[in-house]
Amino acid sequence: MATGPAEKRARIDAEKPGLGPVRLDRGYFDKEFISQFRAAFTDPSLCCNTAISPKDADACQGEIAARPFHTGRLHNIFAADFLRQLKRELGDLQWHERSNDLYSFYQTDDLALNSNPHIKALRNYLSGEEFVGFMEQITGVQLTRGYLDLAAQRYKPTNHLLCHDDDVQRGKLTRKIAYIIYLAEEWTDEDGGALGLFAQDAEGHPTSVVARLVPKFNSIGFFLTGHSSYHTVEEVTAGDGRERWSVTGWFYGPADAPEDTQSSPLPPSTVPQPESLLTLDSEASEWINPDYLKPDTQAQIQDAFLEQS
């Protein structure tokens, strides 16, 4: 999952978000369901996958994958017809191919200012008090109102997203919860594109996928971002030209908030920082434009990479 730096994200519309044509299924607001889901999601000793369903709401079901880090999923979250109309609007947008050594897929521009009715309704609802408050209640994480990353992705056959952790901090805000709303219908495990969750070794390095979430239409998957949230989108292998569609993004919270992941902080990244490039030997420096060795230029390149990812 990837979009640009938080400070470049447009603020959500100033208008008061209305409920409009989209609203989380009312069964999920059952107080007992919220209490049980939160208790399980925030329990560091949870060792088994857990299913929790609201009373008198047969279509609603919540799940928590316990390993390697707690990952929630809610099924049948919105009216199916709304999501199909949303997908039609997304299909009419301009799509950009995103491809490098980490990923290969197609993505829209950030949808923060998109005025199509179903896209706008989803954005305003996801960023509104009802849904943000609900996410706070079931995860126990403090979130910032009015900031939301939102973009759509299409994974065609052979497209993929390799292992990464979504841990990005910009200014006073940081990504707190990553979410995926699945729009692909009649998708099976054989079609690929599952969300793979990585275990880690004693040094905090990702090792292998130990849990997988297969895309399911009209469900939302989510997890807390951080040094332990290594995940991947497995290669899509669907035939007949079918594509894995989704809407993804992040909820943000204060960067100075208490650590709210279930695992101990892992060692900092060992990826070389821009300053290390200044130590290149003279022979290598002869082949590199000196402008690229300047810290300001390197910072701009990093931001551009995030913006286009």
Side-chain angles (χ1 to χ4, degrees), residues 180-257:
I180 314 101
I181 299 174
Y182 291 108
L183 302 179
E185 299 193 58
E186 299 181 0
W187 200 266
T188 68
D189 194 11
E190 289 72 26
D191 295 322
L195 178 68
L197 311 178
F198 280 83
Q200 297 170 341
D201 61 21
E203 296 181 348
H205 301 142
T207 55
S208 61
V209 171
V210 296
R212 302 166 66 252
L213 270 68
V214 176
K216 185 173 182 180
F217 177 71
N218 199 9
S219 70
I220 182 172
F222 55 92
F223 54 86
L224 307 188
T225 60
H227 294 303
S228 63
S229 60
Y230 287 106
H231 59 284
T232 183
V233 176
E234 298 176 352
E235 180 179 348
V236 169
T237 57
D240 303 324
R242 290 184 300 123
E243 301 174 358
R244 176 193 184 276
W245 286 61
S246 63
V247 172
T248 71
W250 297 271
F251 293 95
Y252 284 83
D256 57 351

Side-chain angles (χ1 to χ4, degrees), residues 14-82:
E15 65 187 69
K16 182 178 180 180
L19 298 178
V22 60
R23 195 176 191 185
L24 185 67
D25 189 289
R26 304 310 299 160
Y28 285 117
F29 292 99
D30 176 75
K31 291 183 178 179
E32 185 175 349
F33 168 81
I34 291 175
S35 176
Q36 291 179 355
F37 195 99
R38 178 185 176 120
F41 192 84
T42 60
D43 180 4
S45 66
L46 185 72
C47 59
C48 298
N49 294 347
T50 302
I52 303 171
S53 298
K55 292 182 179 179
D56 304 321
D58 295 337
C60 302
Q61 183 180 6
E63 299 172 345
I64 301 172
R67 297 181 58 249
F69 50 88
H70 294 183
T71 302
R73 182 171 350 190
L74 305 179
H75 296 270
N76 299 310
I77 51 173
F78 300 130
D81 287 343
F82 171 84

